[in-house]
Amino acid sequence: MVWIAVVFMMVALTAIGFTLFESWKFQGGAAAVNDLGSERMRTYRIAYLLAESLRDTANAQAVRGDLTREMKVFEDVLRAIKRGDPARPLFLPRNPDIVNELDALAVLWQSQIRPAVESVLADAHPQSQREQATVLRPRVEQFVQRIDWLVRAIEQDIAHDIAYLRYMQFGLIMLAIAGSVALIYLMFLLVVNPVNRLREGMQRMARGELGTRLPIESSDEIGDLATGFNRMASHLQDLYNTLEERVSQKTRSLAEKNRDLATLYEVTTLLNEPTSTETLCRGFLQKLTALLDAQGAAVRLIDPKTQDIHLYIHEGLAPDFVKDEQCLDMGECLCGEAAQNNTSIVQFLAPVQDANIVFRCQKAGYQTVSVFTIRFQRQMLGVFNLYHREQRTFSTQERQLLETLGQNLGVALENQRLVSRDRELAVTEERNLLAQELHDSIAQSLAFLNLQAQLLEDSLKRSVMDEARGILAQIREGIQESYDDVRELLVHFRTRIKQEDIELTIRSSLSRFESQTGVETSCEVSGRGVPLPPEQQLQVLHILQEALSNVRKHSGASRVEFEMKRGRDYEFHVRDNGCGFDPGALDDPTGSHIGLRIMKERAQRIGGEIRIESRPGNGSEITLILPVAQQQQEAAA
């Protein structure tokens, strides 16, 4: 059967290969016909361009350039036809007459047509050029006729090959019919009947007759199928007999995996709760002792400076054992060894014997001690222990779970440290701004009062009462100004953003400023934009309050205008009609104008920019530009 199919396939492939070769030849001949047709049209175009160059003397130079290019293309195509191109494909039929005619065309072009065209172009006398062009015309006609003859010769050769190919295809049809009949008969004899027997066996297997077997009548592929069917039937029969046991094993395995996943979820949820480090570690140990039936557990953290391992949190350990294990050196005992080598350890301990006590946990009555690392990325933060009073083995799955939980605990501890550091930095920055504001207001006022008190004392010693009364009035004004500054600072520090939008808070601040100072205020809000986060709202409010404080202290204004523009960027404008000032004085290196510097620092903290415009006698305008949309894109990235 196989050899018959192979012979039939070889014959078919040979015939198909021959037809493909012939079709490839047809394609190459058709390409040659196409290129020769283009050469014929190009010959006419050369004659046309030659006549155009004689007629249109104004554009003769450009037309001659086109004529030269056309002649070059003509020669390139003629050479390509003669040389052939299997990749395209392009080639002439292997007919001596066709090959000779193509050679004659090339010779005719090189010896007559091209020299005649070049002679016309080289002649400087128009009359002589026209005469030569008139002589050239019949030669061009004869040249084109020879191209036409060559095209017809190629077409006739292709038609002859097509007829031959048709006879071959007819033979292939007859061969295909005969081969198909033979193959159908052999297929029915050697394949269909055995497959029917195989199908009957499968139907019996589907009805539950697992003892069904097929007879093996040959050693060919069908025989292999029958052998494979019998093996499959035996395997299915064995599986059916042990199905209940396999289902029970898979159920236990799934239960263990579900338990591990539930534990991982519960511990991860616990570690993500906002609570103290001690509570996190204690809850972590309680979860593990309940899961693994441990009689004791501990979390030990490493001091990054001394590399000592300190017992931080423990569950179920005796006080004496805790006292002995309070601090370990790196490499000491099992815990120190695990921390030093950055690896997990599960150690079985023999029962207590006075001569064989090696570890303190062995003396405490534990027979299994496990140590797993607590890591954050590549940094070793500590270890955690599980103690069992009997020998307890850990499966690979359990060890992987405990190592994963150790990594999660490390991430939680590092997050706690980062949150604490962020809070500390936030408090430090706010204290720095508070100190700057106090220095700008109360500290300077107190320095002024101290100086005035010294002057008052000097006036009293000299008994100059008029001068003393004047100094006392200045002291009273300084005290009142300090009192106003303190009240203003208290209002600033107690301010909280309770609304999702800052507009109502700003209107409330402006209203309070107007009632306290008597300065008329107005507020205008326009546009639509993304709501500001609470941190940005608070800093914007502090900047506004500082600007209003400067208006109260220095400008002498009777009206303050506030404008807020929402959009891709937020813009906040504070304008007053006061005395104004010289913005160039803000660059004073002596450290004055602390209030304006604080405003710029607050703006920088939220990614904003402060712009100041003012002229003496024409009021001032302070603008805060806050690119909200860009900040949100960077945060998302």
Side-chain angles (χ1 to χ4, degrees), residues 24 47 157 234 279 311 401 405 432 462 485 560 574 589 605 609:
W24 183 66
D157 187 84
S234 300
T279 304
L311 183 61
L401 174 63
L405 293 177
N432 183 40
R462 293 185 289 107
D485 288 339
V560 176
V574 180
R605 290 177 63 183
E609 178 187 0

Side-chain angles (χ1 to χ4, degrees), residues 158-169:
I158 293 175
H160 179 268
D161 290 342
I162 290 174
Y164 184 73
L165 180 61
R166 287 175 180 172
Y167 295 138
M168 177 62 69
Q169 290 174 342

Side-chain angles (χ1 to χ4, degrees), residues 103-391:
D103 293 338
L105 278 176
V107 172
L108 183 61
W109 168 262
Q110 292 293 340
S111 62
Q112 296 185 15
I113 304 299
R114 180 183 178 89
V117 172
E118 292 176 346
S119 176
V120 173
L121 295 176
D123 198 336
H125 301 285
Q127 182 63 30
S128 177
Q129 287 180 334
R130 284 192 291 271
E131 293 175 356
Q132 292 184 40
T134 303
V135 174
L136 179 61
R137 180 179 229 174
R139 294 181 183 177
V140 171
E141 293 292 340
Q142 293 176 1
F143 186 75
V144 170
Q145 289 177 3
R146 297 196 67 167
I147 293 177
D148 289 339
W149 184 90
L150 183 58
V151 169
R152 288 193 298 272
I154 294 174
E155 290 175 347
Q156 291 175 1
D157 187 84
I158 293 175
H160 179 268
D161 290 342
I162 290 174
Y164 184 73
L165 180 61
R166 287 175 180 172
Y167 295 138
M168 177 62 69
Q169 290 174 342
F170 180 76
L172 284 176
I173 293 173
M174 300 303 296
L175 179 62
I177 294 174
S180 299
V181 172
L183 286 177
I184 290 172
Y185 175 75
L186 292 175
M187 188 71 67
F188 182 81
L189 182 64
L190 301 176
V191 177
V192 174
N193 285 340
V195 169
N196 285 334
R197 288 196 296 269
L198 182 62
R199 183 182 61 183
E200 291 174 359
M202 293 175 62
Q203 291 174 351
R204 292 173 61 187
M205 290 286 292
R207 292 194 296 267
E209 300 178 12
L210 300 180
T212 302
R213 300 293 185 271
L214 295 179
I216 301 175
E217 300 177 348
S218 63
S219 59
D220 56 5
E221 293 83 357
I222 301 299
D224 293 339
L225 285 176
T227 303
F229 178 86
N230 293 338
R231 284 200 300 266
M232 180 191 67
S234 300
H235 184 63
L236 287 176
Q237 194 170 19
D238 294 339
L239 288 177
Y240 183 80
N241 294 332
T242 60
L243 179 61
E244 185 175 354
E245 181 181 356
R246 291 175 179 271
V247 170
S248 178
Q249 292 177 353
K250 290 296 183 181
T251 302
R252 287 195 299 270
S253 177
L254 288 175
E256 292 176 356
K257 291 181 179 180
N258 289 335
R259 183 196 62 179
D260 293 344
L261 289 175
T263 301
L264 183 60
Y265 174 77
E266 292 175 1
V267 173
T268 303
T269 303
L270 172 67
L271 296 179
N272 287 327
E273 291 180 355
T275 183
S276 64
T277 304
E278 180 180 354
T279 304
L280 285 179
C281 294
R282 192 173 300 281
F284 179 81
L285 293 182
Q286 290 173 353
K287 292 286 185 183
L288 293 187
T289 53
L291 173 67
L292 300 172
D293 298 327
Q295 286 74 49
V299 171
R300 304 172 189 266
L301 299 182
I302 299 175
D303 187 343
K305 295 182 179 179
T306 63
Q307 292 297 302
D308 293 335
I309 305 173
H310 299 278
L311 183 61
Y312 184 65
I313 296 294
H314 60 87
E315 285 287 329
L317 301 182
D320 294 339
F321 179 72
V322 172
K323 183 178 179 181
D324 294 337
E325 295 279 318
Q326 190 64 43
C327 182
L328 299 175
D329 294 331
M330 184 68 69
E332 180 183 356
C333 198
L334 295 174
C335 300
E337 181 183 349
Q340 187 176 39
N341 298 327
N342 193 13
T343 184
S344 302
I345 295 177
V346 177
Q347 182 71 39
F348 298 111
L349 306 176
V352 175
Q353 296 180 5
D354 293 340
N356 296 325
I357 295 178
V358 180
F359 304 108
R360 286 186 288 267
C361 46
Q362 184 180 12
K363 182 179 179 181
Y366 299 111
Q367 295 189 21
T368 305
V369 178
S370 56
V371 187
F372 296 93
T373 58
I374 302 173
R375 292 177 296 174
F376 174 73
Q377 295 180 354
R378 296 183 179 180
Q379 180 183 2
M380 176 66 67
L381 302 181
V383 296
F384 68 92
N385 308 94
L386 295 175
Y387 299 94
H388 293 82
R389 295 191 180 278
E390 70 282 346
Q391 289 196 354

Side-chain angles (χ1 to χ4, degrees), residues 593-628:
H593 307 290
I594 295 180
L596 292 175
R597 189 170 71 246
I598 292 175
M599 293 167 60
K600 292 182 178 181
E601 291 179 359
R602 288 188 180 276
Q604 290 175 356
R605 290 177 63 183
I606 56 176
E609 178 187 0
I610 293 291
R611 297 178 182 175
I612 301 174
E613 298 179 5
S614 179
R615 286 190 301 172
N618 291 327
S620 60
E621 178 178 357
I622 296 178
T623 302
L624 168 63
I625 300 177
L626 188 60
V628 181

Side-chain angles (χ1 to χ4, degrees), residues 385-535:
N385 308 94
L386 295 175
Y387 299 94
H388 293 82
R389 295 191 180 278
E390 70 282 346
Q391 289 196 354
R392 169 71 157 81
T393 59
F394 290 86
S395 64
T396 303
Q397 184 175 344
E398 288 178 331
R399 296 187 66 153
Q400 291 177 350
L401 174 63
L402 291 172
E403 290 174 355
T404 302
L405 293 177
Q407 294 178 1
N408 289 343
L409 178 59
V411 172
L413 294 177
E414 183 66 16
N415 287 340
Q416 289 283 341
R417 187 186 68 82
L418 293 177
V419 169
S420 177
R421 188 180 68 176
D422 288 344
R423 291 175 180 172
E424 181 180 353
L425 290 175
V427 171
T428 302
E429 291 179 0
E430 195 61 33
R431 285 180 177 177
N432 183 40
L433 292 175
L434 174 60
Q436 292 176 346
E437 293 189 7
L438 290 175
H439 178 274
D440 188 37
S441 56
I442 298 176
Q444 292 183 359
S445 298
L446 291 177
F448 170 76
L449 292 175
N450 183 32
L451 179 61
Q452 294 298 318
Q454 294 176 12
L455 295 176
L456 177 61
E457 182 181 6
D458 181 67
S459 298
L460 293 175
K461 286 181 180 180
R462 293 185 289 107
S463 300
V464 183
M465 302 308 296
D466 293 338
E467 182 179 338
R469 280 190 291 270
I471 294 174
L472 183 61
Q474 293 181 2
I475 292 175
R476 186 180 295 111
E477 291 177 1
I479 294 173
Q480 181 63 40
E481 184 176 352
S482 297
Y483 176 70
D484 293 339
D485 288 339
V486 170
R487 290 190 60 188
E488 185 175 283
L489 289 175
L490 291 176
V491 171
H492 289 187
F493 299 146
R494 291 177 178 176
T495 301
R496 293 293 181 268
I497 304 297
K498 297 182 179 179
Q499 296 85 5
E500 292 183 356
D501 195 352
I502 196 175
E503 178 181 351
L504 295 180
T505 304
I506 291 177
R507 291 185 183 275
S508 176
S509 297
L510 291 173
S511 177
R512 185 166 55 249
F513 174 80
E514 183 174 353
S515 64
Q516 291 176 350
T517 62
V519 177
E520 182 183 357
T521 63
S522 65
C523 180
E524 180 180 352
V525 179
S526 62
R528 301 175 64 182
V530 179
L532 295 176
E535 169 64 19

